[in-house]
């Protein structure tokens, strides 16, 4: 099996190399002989702007202006084929026989919803900071978390992850908490006590229910909330007829069913996940009993053109139970290998139970104006409890010398309950040149926490840290907090489209205001971006964005700690302020065709000036904040992405990122916790030669390691850097049934996760030897695993 996979890898990499060579060596011929001009309208005779008019064989392309008019000069031939394409409309094709001189035509384009079967030949041109992604690119690929949308985001330029068991991600140096997520205009919350990827269950986003994905890694519009790094905008789809999907694998199962007509639609999704099989490849052996269950429903009713009613409901129940047995880790260099052995006693029991619901009513005033009222509620009840004792031995494998022996005990009794309720009013109005939108939100938040954690460490008979007059623990934390607050948020923005000659512009500008009762802070966030499609070549799009972005504090950020007599207590800091990021982004998109297949190259350079930063430490996926605004810094970098059909009918992309993220605190400069200096990601899809029933997906990740240091010493002392994160996952899918016996498609898949069996480091456990020297013992992530799955679509 492994030899076959290596052969397959060689074949795929050869295909990629050939495609890149052809991209670099392809040429285009230009000639002209006749002029074609005309107007593009929809089925109601409304002019359509920014429709792409192209002659692929001659490499010529133009776009319709704001009046729907176009003009293009082409070489005459026996037959000349001209295509008209635009997102949301079925493509049109006209063939001209021996064209001469000047010709005038009118093209009528039909919207997609009016057609049964359509083929999208062009993707939406990106004129804002938000890129539209396709969920189909992720559904059949290899997956470790079962969260297809987040895994798709993790492969984008400027996005990174160093833990395949987690669906969380960092964007351009930011923390996990700096990413906002919206579903149907409602901001989404996530559990607060999760501290490891093993505890994470299914995210709230159900990939089977997703219609559209918009993602911005910076420079996003004013309608998105007060987060500094990214915005993920999810739109759930409304089924128009009966459809159903079921998937089962070694890591879980899911089912989806939807029904609908012109007025009513309803969909239900049920997902189950257990990563017990995956956790079996960790070095720590024991009894893993994770169980994650999620149910969602989306109901929509449109009685007439004036009214729309929508409801989304979600219930999530996540359990993580673990009884560790033993562990053996070898680390060091080839010449100096150390062995770390641990025998465990105790267990961990965690429960994360969340409820979420949102309802909305929309009143349409014609086709261009509407008002929407939304209300949503989120409830989470979380419990993290563990008592785990470990007895360890640290040995030098070459000399058999015992370097350290000791015992440690970890204890936690963490309980948290949170309720968030929001009311939101959105109004929008569209004209030929303007898309105006405004919103007002009122939120109430109630969070109650009772936590107690401690860690005892005994090294060679002495408690660490050792003091002569008392017994101290290496780490303690006590918290008992209860907070009620409310937030008021408002925004207004406009997308203004205009042209000067053959230059097409999109100006998006807006402002966002927010007030939080807890710290009585009011923030104002102006944002603007402009995009240009230049006259000299409509295949280019140039974008520039800037704005003052804030990271409004939430519960974890405002937890400050004080230590007295060796006891650390977490209190809430009502003087905490929002972190601030002044962002500048310059970008360029270039669209081209090679071998009659579409490609797009994107380059983005960015600079973020950061102030009022709240420093934090990261352990696994647990982010612990200082609870004070005591740092500043900057982040600068460049992201490159090549996207297209390397193989006909499939999407692939290659990304490359460079970044530097620095922080300054108390006059000392040091890397930020997520200072990932470089990253390369590849998502490649291909078919077996001679058939379109065998599909393969290859995912490669190579990313710089993150800074780390000894625990409980502060972020400014993170003087080491972990090894680079390297991972390859490959999946093979066979279309066993296609439109037979009531089955739309039946896919049988086989994935090899961590193809090369690379031992990536997740975090470190620090051990003190008999000479008081500290050793960083790596905690490795999952090894090579085979996952089988089957998907049936009805």
């Amino acid at each position: 099996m492994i030899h076959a996979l290596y052969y397959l890898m060689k074949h795929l990499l050869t295909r990629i190399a050939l495609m890149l060579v052809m991209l670099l060596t392809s040429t285009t011929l230009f000639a002209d002989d006749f002029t074609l001009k005309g107007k593009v309208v929809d089925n109601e005779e409304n002019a359509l702007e920014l429709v792409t008019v192209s002659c692929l064989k001659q490499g010529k392309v133009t776009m319709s202006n704001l009046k729907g008019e176009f003009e293009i000069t082409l070489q005459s031939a026996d037959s000349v084929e001209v295509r008209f394409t635009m997102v949301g409309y079925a493509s049109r094709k006209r063939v001209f026989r021996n064209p001469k001189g000047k010709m005038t035509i009118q093209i009528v384009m039909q919207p997609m919803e009016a057609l049964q079967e359509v083929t999208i030949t062009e993707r939406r041109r990106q004129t804002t900071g938000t890129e539209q992604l396709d969920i189909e690119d992720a559904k059949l690929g290899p997956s470790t978390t079962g969260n297809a949308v987040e895994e798709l985001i993790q492969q984008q330029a400027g996005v990174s992850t160093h833990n395949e068991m987690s669906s969380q991600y960092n964007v351009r140096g930011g923390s996990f908490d700096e990413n906002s997520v919206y579903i149907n205009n409602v901001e989404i919350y996530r559990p607060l006590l999760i501290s490891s990827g093993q505890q994470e269950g299914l995210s709230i986003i159900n990939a089977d229910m997703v219609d559209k994905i918009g993602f911005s890694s910076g420079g996003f519009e004013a309608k998105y909330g007060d987060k500094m790094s990214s915005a993920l905008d999810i739109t759930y789809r409304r089924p128009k007829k009966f459809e159903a999907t079921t998937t089962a694998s070694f890591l879980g199962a899911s089912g989806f069913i939807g029904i609908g007509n012109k007025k009513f639609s309803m969909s239900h999704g049920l997902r189950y996940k257990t990563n017990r099989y995956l956790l079996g490849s960790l070095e720590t052996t024991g009894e893993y009993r994770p169980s994650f269950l999620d149910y969602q429903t989306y109901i929509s009713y449109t009685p007439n053109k004036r009214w729309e009613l929508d409801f989304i409901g979600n219930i999530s129940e996540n359990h993580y139970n673990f009884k560790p047995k033993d562990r053996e880790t070898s680390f060091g260099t080839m010449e100096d290998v150390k062995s770390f052995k641990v025998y465990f006693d105790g267990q961990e029991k965690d429960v994360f139970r969340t409820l979420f619901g949102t309802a909305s009513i929309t009143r349409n005033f014609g086709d261009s104006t509407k008002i929407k009222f939304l209300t949503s509620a989120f409830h989470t009840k979380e419990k993290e409890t563990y008592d785990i004792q470990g007895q360890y031995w640290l040995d030098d494998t070459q000399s058999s010398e015992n370097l350290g022996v000791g015992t440690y005990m970890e204890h936690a009794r963490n309980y948290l309950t949170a309720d968030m309720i929001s009311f939101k009013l959105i109004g929008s109005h569209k004209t030929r040149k303007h898309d105006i939108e405004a919103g007002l939100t009122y939120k109430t938040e109630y969070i109650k926490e009772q936590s107690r954690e401690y860690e005892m460490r005994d090294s060679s008979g002495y408690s660490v840290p050792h003091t002569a007059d008392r017994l101290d623990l290496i780490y303690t934390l006590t918290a008992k907090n209860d907070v009620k607050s409310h937030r008021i948020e408002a925004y207004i923005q406009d997308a203004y489209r205009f042209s000067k000659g053959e230059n097409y512009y999109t100006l998006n500008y807006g402002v966002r205001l927010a007030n939080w009762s807890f710290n009585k802070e009011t923030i104002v966030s102006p944002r603007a971006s402009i995009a240009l499609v230049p006259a000299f070549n409509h295949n280019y799009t140039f974008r520039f964005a800037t704005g003052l972005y804030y990271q409004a504090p939430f519960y974890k950020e405002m937890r400050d700690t004080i230590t007295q007599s060796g006891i650390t207590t977490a209190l809430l800091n009502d003087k905490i302020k929002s972190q601030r990021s002044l962002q500048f982004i310059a970008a360029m998109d270039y669209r081209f065709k090679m071998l009659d297949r579409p490609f797009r190259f994107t380059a983005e350079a960015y600079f973020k000036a950061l102030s009022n930063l709240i420093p934090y430490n990261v352990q696994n996926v647990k982010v612990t904040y200082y609870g004070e605004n005591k740092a500043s810094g900057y982040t600068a970098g460049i992201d490159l992405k090549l996207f297209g059909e390397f193989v006909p009918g499939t999407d692939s992309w290659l990304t490359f990122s460079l970044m530097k993220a620095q922080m300054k605190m108390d006059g000392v400069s040091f890397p930020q916790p997520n200072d990932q200096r470089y990253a390369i990601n590849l998502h490649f899809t291909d078919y077996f030669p001679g058939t379109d029933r065998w599909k393969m997906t290859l995912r490669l990740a190579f990313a710089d390691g993150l800074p780390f240091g000894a625990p409980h010493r502060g972020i400014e002392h993170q003087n080491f850097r972990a090894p680079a994160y390297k991972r390859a996952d490959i999946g093979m899918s066979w279309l066993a049934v296609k439109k037979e016996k009531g089955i739309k498609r039946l896919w049988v898949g086989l994935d090899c996760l961590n193809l090369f069996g690379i031992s990536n480091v997740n975090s470190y456990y620090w051990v003190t030897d008999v000479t008081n020297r500290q050793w960083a013992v790596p905690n490795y992530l999952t090894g090579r695993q085979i996952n089988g799955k089957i998907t049936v679509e009805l």
Side-chain angles (χ1 to χ4, degrees):
M1 176 67 186
I2 300 301
H3 291 294
L5 290 172
Y6 274 94
Y7 174 78
L8 185 56
M9 279 284 298
K10 181 179 179 181
H11 166 72
L12 291 176
L13 293 175
T14 302
R15 293 288 295 266
I16 296 169
L18 289 174
M19 289 295 107
L20 291 175
V21 170
M22 287 188 286
L23 286 173
L24 295 173
T25 58
S26 62
T27 60
T28 306
L29 300 177
F30 296 87
D32 59 329
D33 197 13
F34 79 100
T35 300
L36 179 68
K37 60 189 300 185
K39 185 175 182 179
V40 186
V41 298
D42 61 17
N43 54 4
E44 296 180 354
E45 296 293 322
N46 298 313
L48 294 177
E49 73 274 11
L50 299 181
V51 176
T52 300
V53 184
S54 61
C55 180
L56 301 179
K57 290 185 178 180
Q58 299 185 24
K60 287 293 190 72
V61 63
T62 188
M63 299 179 68
S64 62
N65 60 23
L66 297 181
K67 298 179 181 179
E69 299 170 345
F70 70 91
E71 182 174 324
I72 187 171
T73 302
L74 301 170
Q75 178 188 14
S76 183
D78 291 339
S79 65
V80 178
E81 181 181 291
V82 180
R83 289 182 176 270
F84 301 83
T85 56
M86 183 180 181
V87 172
Y89 292 84
S91 61
R92 289 292 308 275
K93 178 178 69 174
R94 289 289 298 271
V95 179
F96 302 92
R97 306 294 180 184
N98 296 311
K100 301 292 182 182
K102 293 185 178 180
M103 303 180 64
T104 302
I105 62 172
Q106 178 168 298
I107 297 295
V108 179
M109 301 189 71
Q110 299 292 334
M112 285 184 178
E113 55 266 24
L115 304 173
Q116 294 295 324
E117 295 269 345
V118 296
T119 301
I120 300 175
T121 59
E122 180 175 310
R123 294 179 181 270
R124 182 182 298 273
R125 184 186 294 268
Q126 185 178 345
T127 57
T128 67
T130 302
E131 178 184 7
Q132 299 300 315
L133 305 176
D134 190 351
I135 185 59
E136 298 301 324
D137 292 334
K139 282 188 175 180
L140 290 178
S143 173
T144 55
T145 66
N147 300 314
V149 173
E150 286 83 351
E151 290 183 333
L152 177 65
I153 298 300
Q154 290 171 352
Q155 299 173 71
Q156 303 306 308
V159 184
S160 65
T161 179
H162 289 76
N163 188 340
E164 64 271 7
M165 292 184 291
S166 173
S167 61
Q168 300 189 61
Y169 49 88
N170 308 108
V171 179
R172 292 177 174 174
S175 73
F176 303 134
D177 301 316
E178 295 178 19
N179 307 310
S180 61
V181 179
Y182 287 79
I183 296 180
N184 287 21
N185 294 305
V186 176
E187 188 170 8
I188 302 302
Y189 297 89
R190 59 181 300 275
L192 298 172
L193 290 183
I194 288 179
S195 59
S196 69
Q198 294 93 311
Q199 297 173 334
E200 278 194 34
L202 293 156
S203 79
I204 193 173
I205 304 173
N206 188 327
D208 291 328
M209 303 174 71
V210 170
D211 181 29
K212 299 177 183 178
I213 303 174
F215 178 70
S216 174
S217 55
F220 38 89
E221 300 100 304
K223 66 179 179 180
Y224 298 119
D226 296 304
K227 302 286 187 179
M228 292 198 303
S229 289
S230 75
L232 176 59
D233 192 353
I234 302 296
T235 302
Y236 276 179
R237 74 175 188 272
R238 299 174 176 176
K240 294 180 172 58
K241 57 183 180 180
F242 173 80
E243 56 181 280
T245 303
T246 182
T247 300
S249 75
F250 297 158
L251 301 178
S254 66
F256 167 80
I257 186 171
I259 58 174
N261 52 41
K262 291 184 178 180
K263 290 188 175 183
F264 178 79
S265 68
M266 178 172 58
S267 57
H268 304 273
L270 182 65
R271 296 177 294 166
Y272 171 75
K273 171 186 171 182
T274 174
N275 52 7
R276 181 176 182 177
Y277 172 67
L278 191 65
L279 296 176
S281 64
L282 297 176
E283 288 189 330
T284 300
T285 64
E287 183 180 350
Y288 292 92
R289 290 186 292 117
S291 176
F292 311 115
L293 187 66
D294 174 273
Y295 166 75
Q296 290 189 44
T297 184
Y298 177 33
I299 302 173
S300 179
Y301 177 53
T302 308
N304 51 53
K305 291 184 177 181
R306 296 186 301 273
W307 295 97
E308 299 175 19
L309 294 92
D310 294 279
F311 171 77
I312 297 176
N314 171 246
I315 302 174
S316 179
E317 183 88 6
N318 298 332
H319 294 257
Y320 177 72
N321 298 324
F322 174 45
K323 290 184 178 181
K325 182 180 177 182
D326 57 46
R327 163 187 174 175
E328 183 171 357
T329 302
S330 296
F331 65 100
T333 64
M334 294 293 292
E335 295 78 18
D336 186 18
V337 180
K338 302 294 185 295
S339 175
F340 180 67
K341 296 180 181 180
V342 187
Y343 296 94
F344 297 101
D345 186 24
Q347 64 179 336
E348 176 177 357
K349 289 187 175 183
D350 307 324
V351 179
F352 304 94
R353 182 179 297 113
T354 61
L355 304 174
F356 169 75
T358 176
S360 68
I361 182 171
T362 304
R363 175 65 162 92
N364 297 306
F365 300 90
D367 296 330
S368 58
T369 304
K370 64 180 178 180
I371 295 177
K372 175 179 287 191
F373 176 75
L374 307 95
T375 181
S376 65
F378 174 82
H379 169 79
T380 180
K381 187 173 184 180
E382 306 172 25
K383 180 181 74 171
E384 182 187 39
T385 62
Y386 53 81
D387 288 285
I388 297 178
Q389 176 181 282
Q391 295 180 324
Y392 67 84
W393 285 262
L394 178 65
D395 299 318
D396 187 315
T397 58
Q398 293 182 335
S399 63
S400 299
E401 178 186 0
N402 180 257
L403 302 175
V405 60
T407 301
Y408 68 87
M409 173 71 179
E410 295 178 343
H411 166 91
R413 292 293 184 272
N414 299 329
Y415 304 93
L416 184 142
T417 302
D419 293 282
M420 292 81 170
I421 300 174
S422 72
F423 304 92
K424 188 174 185 179
L425 183 66
I426 303 175
S428 63
H429 178 70
K430 294 184 179 182
T431 66
R432 173 60 59 184
K433 293 186 177 182
H434 293 270
D435 288 349
I436 303 171
E437 182 177 317
L440 178 65
T441 305
Y442 176 80
K443 299 179 180 178
T444 63
E445 302 167 350
Y446 172 63
I447 302 174
K448 183 178 181 180
E449 177 200 19
Q450 185 168 341
S451 298
R452 180 171 179 82
E453 302 177 4
Y454 66 78
E455 180 181 352
M456 182 276 293
R457 192 175 298 180
D458 183 294
S459 179
S460 300
Y462 291 94
S463 179
V464 180
H466 178 67
T467 55
D469 56 346
R470 68 169 187 248
L471 179 64
D472 286 336
L473 300 175
I474 193 171
Y475 166 73
T476 65
L477 178 67
T478 301
K480 189 175 183 180
N481 296 305
D482 192 329
V483 58
K484 295 181 181 180
S485 64
H486 66 262
R487 301 177 195 257
I488 299 176
E489 302 171 355
Y491 72 89
I492 184 170
Q493 67 176 47
D494 177 30
Y496 173 40
R497 299 178 299 275
F498 61 97
S499 63
K500 290 185 178 181
E502 292 296 315
N503 293 299
Y504 300 95
Y505 298 87
T506 300
L507 174 63
N508 190 295
Y509 57 98
V511 63
R512 185 176 185 88
L513 297 91
N515 176 269
W516 189 24
S517 64
F518 181 77
N519 62 356
K520 299 177 176 56
E521 179 189 31
T522 299
I523 55 178
V524 181
S525 175
R527 309 172 186 180
S529 67
I530 188 168
L532 165 64
V533 180
F536 67 83
N537 191 332
H538 286 166
N539 287 319
Y540 284 97
T541 303
F542 297 99
R543 294 180 282 112
F544 177 78
T546 185
L548 184 61
Y549 293 81
Y550 289 89
Q551 177 76 18
F554 198 58
Y555 188 72
K556 290 194 293 185
E557 288 99 316
M558 62 188 185
R559 291 171 82 242
D560 194 6
T561 57
I562 59 172
T563 302
Q564 294 179 339
S565 301
I567 303 297
T568 302
T569 304
L571 302 174
L572 302 184
N573 179 11
D574 60 2
K575 305 297 183 183
I576 198 77
K577 298 297 181 183
S578 297
Q579 301 177 84
R580 188 165 55 219
S581 172
L582 178 60
Q583 301 186 10
F584 301 93
I585 300 169
M588 181 273 292
D589 296 331
Y590 175 57
R591 304 190 307 172
F592 60 98
K593 284 185 177 288
M594 193 274 294
L595 299 179
D596 198 24
R597 299 199 293 271
F599 289 86
R600 182 181 75 247
F601 175 74
T602 301
E604 290 195 11
Y606 58 91
F607 178 82
K608 299 191 287 187
L610 308 173
S611 57
N612 282 348
L613 292 182
I614 306 172
Y616 61 90
N617 289 298
V618 181
Q619 180 75 4
N620 203 312
V621 299
K622 183 178 182 179
V623 181
T624 304
Y625 290 89
Y626 278 46
E628 296 180 84
N629 303 97
K630 55 186 307 182
S632 60
Y634 71 88
T635 302
I638 184 170
D639 295 327
L640 307 176
K641 181 178 180 180
L642 178 63
F643 178 94
E645 295 186 10
F646 287 73
V647 176
T650 65
D651 290 336
S652 301
W653 60 88
L654 175 67
T655 69
F656 176 68
S657 300
L658 294 173
M659 183 186 70
K660 185 174 183 179
Q662 289 288 112
M663 183 180 290
K664 188 174 183 180
M665 184 173 65
D666 298 330
V668 179
S669 295
F670 48 88
Q672 294 184 37
N674 293 302
D675 177 39
Q676 181 179 274
R677 297 171 297 185
Y678 60 86
I680 302 173
N681 283 283
L682 173 68
H683 178 104
F684 182 75
T685 52
D686 194 4
Y687 290 103
F688 272 78
T691 179
D692 60 357
R693 286 183 173 264
W694 279 95
K695 187 176 183 179
M696 293 170 289
T697 303
L698 171 67
R699 293 177 179 172
L700 300 178
F702 182 74
D704 185 27
L706 300 179
F708 75 96
H712 317 304
R713 292 194 60 195
I715 186 176
E716 65 274 20
H717 299 292
Q718 293 188 346
N719 302 319
F720 308 99
R721 189 172 287 269
Y725 181 83
K726 304 177 286 291
R727 187 174 176 90
D729 298 324
I730 190 168
M732 296 172 288
S733 300
W734 174 48
L735 183 56
V737 177
K738 183 178 181 181
K739 295 182 179 180
E740 296 179 13
K741 300 179 181 180
I743 297 177
K744 185 178 180 181
R745 282 183 292 265
L746 189 154
W747 290 94
V748 178
L750 186 67
D751 300 339
C752 184
L753 308 173
N754 196 358
L755 175 63
F756 300 117
I758 298 173
S759 297
N760 288 303
V761 177
N762 178 33
S763 58
Y764 289 87
Y765 184 79
W766 290 78
V767 177
T768 305
D769 65 15
V770 292
T771 63
N772 206 33
R773 182 180 179 184
Q774 287 190 312
W775 297 86
V777 182
N779 298 315
Y780 291 114
L781 288 164
T782 58
R784 183 190 296 116
Q785 293 287 88
I786 302 295
N787 181 36
K789 59 184 177 181
I790 182 170
T791 300
V792 181
E793 301 176 24
L794 303 178

